[in-house]
Amino acid sequence: MTGALGLRIGACLLCLGFACRAGEDEEIVREASATSSPFARLRFAELHDLDGSGGASAGDHVVLGLRRPLAPRRVIALDDLGLAGSAARWGDGARLSATPGESEIRVVLGEGPRLSLEGTYRPGSHGDTPAQLRTAAGAVPILTAAAQRRAFAGDRFADSPELRPFYGQLHSHTSFSDGELTPVDAYANARRYGLDFFAVTDHLEQLTPESWEAQLRAARAADEPGAFAALSGYEWGGFPTIKGWMNHVNVVGTERLLSVAGTLTLRRLYEGILALPEATVIGQFNHPGMQHPVFGGNNWNGFEHHADADRRMRLMMVETRSEKGEDNRDHSGYIPALDRGWHLAPKGEEDNHRASWGHTRKRTGLWLADLSSASVLAGLTRMATFYTDDPEASLKLRADGEWLMGSTVYGDGPHRLEVEVAHRTRAALVTSVEIVSVGGAVVARRENERTPVRLKFEVDPRTDAYYFARIVLEGPDDRMISAPIFVDR
């Protein structure tokens, strides 16, 4: 059927899994031409911006990561590496380096290269996509190396049978700001109540250098790789603006405090977060339903998009039911922010101001291969999260048979979306499964299933779009929400 967004959607039951044949990664395209790569699959295609120009220029390198090393007698020519789009080109005098036995191919760009790289995804638009390398398994986008990005264009993150769901919370308080007891107590209680990962995030303006160092020490002491990941952070915000009371932002993944006086505007906050030295700093938008009794609410200047901040702002709080009377459901913050172009995943938490860490059932689910503070931060960067009101339930969304939620897929459709809902203790009722897209439009729906649920949907948007899964389990207050798949046309 065709919806208001021009989306072609089909749905059917499907057993999930990869349909890869043995040796497929070494498949050779026999038709030697400039329109397709000799490899069925590449792990990545990454620009190394050697001159720091912010774009592709002569002498920069494009590194192609292979799934398997080159065969000993394999010969690769530049003409084998065809670029999608008539305007894309490697540049005059470009040269290629490919060594048998290695898992990378390197292209040194020539004069006048034409590679679109950044800032292309906008829901509802149809701009240029990043330059893509044609392969027998589909187009692979060429993206700037993450450490050199000035804006976030999108990445693809492969799903794996090694991934399993872990559960935690990323927003809590202690007596170091406006809560109770200490971070030592908070970490101990969170672990006692079954959380796999947990962050203490006291208010920035109330932390002192001494209390911040004590919070960091408590996190280090509580951290136990393989059993419990203890993260430390802080919460910024809460001051009047001409648009209302500025809403809050959490920051985790750094040992450096931001300056309160130096971040008294949203733009200066984003600049401060971007300047933090650690590689995996995670910014989080908190409780979008918050309203100040006098000033009202300011949801980050109406969710205005900042392309550079999109590199580190990774999460948006969602919540089915709030003890504070706030409406923090997906339509309050998650959907409007995605509509403005942010790349965000959902999180769920308690925002404790009492000694009640881990006492509710709401959780942030996170798909990881192993449990450690570093892997949690990396998983949050990949946006491999889901919100759940049931800590025994898990939700996964995947695109085109391989790419995990949080990924961007590129080019013409249709694209296949796969949804998997599971429960660790029983065959749970799944009242509804919805695929939600731009503007909150429900573009597909299935009802009355039992876990494990495995469903397949087909989407073919005419413009850039996002899709996430929204699940109702046994009742309206028992919901799950996935991170999106982003489609860049």
Side-chain angles (χ1 to χ4, degrees):
M1 63 180 175
T2 301
L5 296 175
L7 308 175
R8 182 162 54 86
I9 311 296
C12 63
L13 284 170
L14 177 74
C15 292
L16 293 182
F18 294 108
C20 295
R21 303 185 306 275
E24 185 183 42
D25 291 338
E26 294 180 337
E27 179 183 343
I28 297 173
V29 176
R30 302 297 179 182
E31 298 177 2
S33 70
T35 60
S36 61
S37 162
F39 302 99
R41 292 184 184 273
L42 300 175
R43 289 190 297 114
F44 63 84
E46 186 174 82
L47 175 84
H48 290 196
D49 183 13
L50 300 184
D51 61 359
S53 66
S57 53
D60 288 345
H61 292 181
V62 173
V63 178
L64 310 179
L66 311 180
R67 294 295 181 87
R68 296 185 182 182
L70 281 173
R73 288 180 288 181
R74 190 74 175 93
V75 177
I76 305 297
L78 188 62
D79 284 347
D80 293 326
L81 305 178
L83 291 168
S86 58
R89 57 197 299 265
W90 297 117
D92 297 334
R95 62 187 188 276
L96 177 147
S97 173
T99 303
E102 297 293 328
S103 297
E104 289 185 352
I105 295 174
R106 190 172 295 263
V107 178
V108 180
L109 298 182
E111 295 295 330
R114 295 179 184 173
L115 298 178
S116 174
L117 297 167
E118 295 184 337
T120 60
Y121 172 82
R122 284 293 180 275
S125 72
H126 199 306
D128 293 334
T129 63
Q132 299 169 68
L133 182 68
R134 295 188 184 277
T135 80
V140 176
I142 301 173
L143 302 175
T144 306
Q148 298 179 313
R149 286 180 188 162
R150 301 180 182 180
F152 185 80
D155 287 292
R156 304 190 303 179
F157 308 108
D159 192 12
S160 166
E162 297 178 355
L163 298 179
R164 56 194 180 98
F166 293 89
Y167 299 83
Q169 295 175 354
L170 298 165
H171 185 180
S172 68
H173 299 282
T174 73
S175 64
F176 284 16
S177 59
D178 57 353
E180 297 178 348
L181 302 181
T182 69
V184 172
D185 302 305
Y187 291 122
N189 273 270
R191 185 168 182 178
R192 185 178 305 121
Y193 278 86
L195 273 67
D196 299 311
F197 59 91
F198 182 76
V200 172
T201 56
D202 277 306
H203 289 279
L204 175 64
E205 69 275 11
Q206 293 177 273
L207 287 169
T208 66
E210 293 75 21
S211 62
W212 173 240
E213 184 55 40
Q215 183 176 312
L216 291 173
R217 288 197 303 269
R220 295 185 196 114
D223 194 62
E224 184 180 343
F228 182 73
L231 305 176
S232 189
Y234 42 84
E235 184 175 27
W236 169 94
F239 55 87
T241 75
I242 60 173
K243 296 182 179 181
W245 192 260
M246 179 60 71
N247 210 334
H248 298 173
V249 169
N250 268 8
V251 181
V252 299
T254 182
E255 295 193 352
R256 181 177 297 183
L257 285 175
L258 289 172
S259 162
V260 175
T263 57
L264 285 179
T265 67
L266 190 60
R267 181 61 216 162
R268 294 180 73 179
L269 169 70
Y270 291 150
E271 290 171 352
I273 292 174
L274 290 167
L276 292 170
E278 291 85 357
T280 49
V281 176
I282 308 297
Q284 312 165 41
F285 294 112
N286 293 340
H287 41 64
M290 183 185 76
Q291 292 288 318
H292 191 277
V294 176
F295 296 97
N298 176 357
N299 276 332
W300 312 285
N301 294 345
F303 307 99
E304 68 180 15
H305 184 254
H306 293 242
D308 55 352
D310 204 354
R311 289 157 43 206
R312 285 191 158 174
M313 297 304 298
R314 287 269 128 313
L315 300 170
M316 170 70 74
M317 178 182 176
V318 297
E319 186 178 35
T320 299
R321 183 173 292 275
S322 169
E323 295 179 359
K324 302 174 184 178
E326 300 171 347
D327 185 355
N328 295 315
R329 289 173 291 176
D330 44 292
H331 63 254
S332 294
Y334 190 42
I335 290 171
L338 292 172
D339 284 347
R340 295 298 298 270
W342 289 99
H343 293 75
L344 297 170
K347 63 167 184 165
E349 56 217 5
E350 294 169 335
D351 187 11
N352 315 80
H353 291 82
R354 296 174 295 146
S356 58
W357 308 281
H359 288 200
T360 72
R361 290 167 55 82
K362 65 184 70 171
R363 297 287 188 270
T364 299
L366 180 60
W367 290 95
L368 302 172
D370 59 83
L371 181 63
S372 69
S373 294
S375 65
V376 168
L377 290 171
L380 297 176
T381 297
R382 297 193 306 271
M383 298 176 285
T385 74
F386 59 93
Y387 168 82
T388 180
D389 289 308
D390 186 336
E392 303 298 329
S394 64
L395 170 61
K396 182 183 284 188
L397 177 66
R398 183 165 56 210
D400 295 337
E402 182 170 8
W403 307 112
L404 187 64
M405 55 196 187
S407 297
T408 302
V409 294
Y410 293 87
D412 295 339
H415 295 280
R416 303 183 313 279
L417 303 182
E418 300 165 316
V419 178
E420 181 177 291
V421 185
H423 202 280
R424 293 192 286 196
T425 63
R426 65 184 187 278
L429 173 65
V430 179
T431 300
S432 65
V433 176
E434 295 178 329
I435 301 297
V436 182
S437 191
V438 178
V442 176
V443 298
R445 178 182 173 91
R446 291 294 297 268
E447 297 180 346
N448 298 323
E449 305 283 351
R450 290 272 177 185
T451 58
V453 175
R454 299 174 178 90
L455 300 171
K456 181 176 179 180
F457 305 88
E458 186 177 277
V459 298
D460 194 8
R462 297 173 181 168
T463 61
D464 293 358
Y466 63 83
Y467 300 91
F468 67 86
R470 184 169 60 200
I471 311 299
V472 176
L473 296 174
E474 280 130 337
D477 291 338
D478 196 10
R479 303 198 313 159
M480 306 176 74
I481 293 173
S482 79
I485 291 289
F486 304 93
V487 180
D488 191 338
R489 293 296 303 269

